[in-house]
Amino acid sequence: MKPMLCPNCKTNRTRFHFIEQHPKAVKLNPQTGEIEQEYANESLEPFHLPYRGPSYRVQCGVCGLIEDAEMFIQRAKLAQMGRET
């Protein structure tokens, strides 16, 4: 893991929540919203793209901002370079 700094509150470097994402591909009934079918990534229908997002996101334990981990890592790098605003 790399150092992190919240890009929103700009003070938190230590308190975070790592939120694991477990996407589930489904087909919904357009009228009821009920799940009609669940798919494995190998068996997706045409026009149903596989999930391409991050496997986890980060929430600041101080202000509550939720972003990709890279946002927090990049903010820490800028601060280490003395470019913090």
PDB file of all heavy atoms in Angstrom, residues 10 50 62:
ATOM      1  N   LYS A  10      -8.052  17.239   2.864  1.00  0.00           N
ATOM      2  CA  LYS A  10      -6.623  17.550   2.788  1.00  0.00           C
ATOM      3  C   LYS A  10      -5.905  17.475   4.125  1.00  0.00           C
ATOM      4  O   LYS A  10      -4.842  18.057   4.299  1.00  0.00           O
ATOM      5  CB  LYS A  10      -6.405  18.924   2.154  1.00  0.00           C
ATOM      6  CG  LYS A  10      -6.956  19.001   0.753  1.00  0.00           C
ATOM      7  CD  LYS A  10      -6.840  20.397   0.185  1.00  0.00           C
ATOM      8  CE  LYS A  10      -7.473  20.409  -1.172  1.00  0.00           C
ATOM      9  NZ  LYS A  10      -8.308  21.539  -1.406  1.00  0.00           N
ATOM     10  N   PRO A  50     -18.597  -6.344 -19.789  1.00  0.00           N
ATOM     11  CA  PRO A  50     -18.127  -6.775 -18.468  1.00  0.00           C
ATOM     12  C   PRO A  50     -17.735  -5.567 -17.620  1.00  0.00           C
ATOM     13  O   PRO A  50     -17.390  -4.500 -18.147  1.00  0.00           O
ATOM     14  CB  PRO A  50     -16.916  -7.646 -18.780  1.00  0.00           C
ATOM     15  CG  PRO A  50     -16.460  -7.218 -20.122  1.00  0.00           C
ATOM     16  CD  PRO A  50     -17.676  -6.721 -20.849  1.00  0.00           C
ATOM     17  N   VAL A  62     -12.614  10.656   7.691  1.00  0.00           N
ATOM     18  CA  VAL A  62     -12.867  11.949   8.325  1.00  0.00           C
ATOM     19  C   VAL A  62     -14.032  12.670   7.666  1.00  0.00           C
ATOM     20  O   VAL A  62     -15.002  13.040   8.322  1.00  0.00           O
ATOM     21  CB  VAL A  62     -11.594  12.831   8.306  1.00  0.00           C
ATOM     22  CG1 VAL A  62     -11.875  14.215   8.841  1.00  0.00           C
ATOM     23  CG2 VAL A  62     -10.477  12.161   9.096  1.00  0.00           C
TER      24      VAL A  62
END
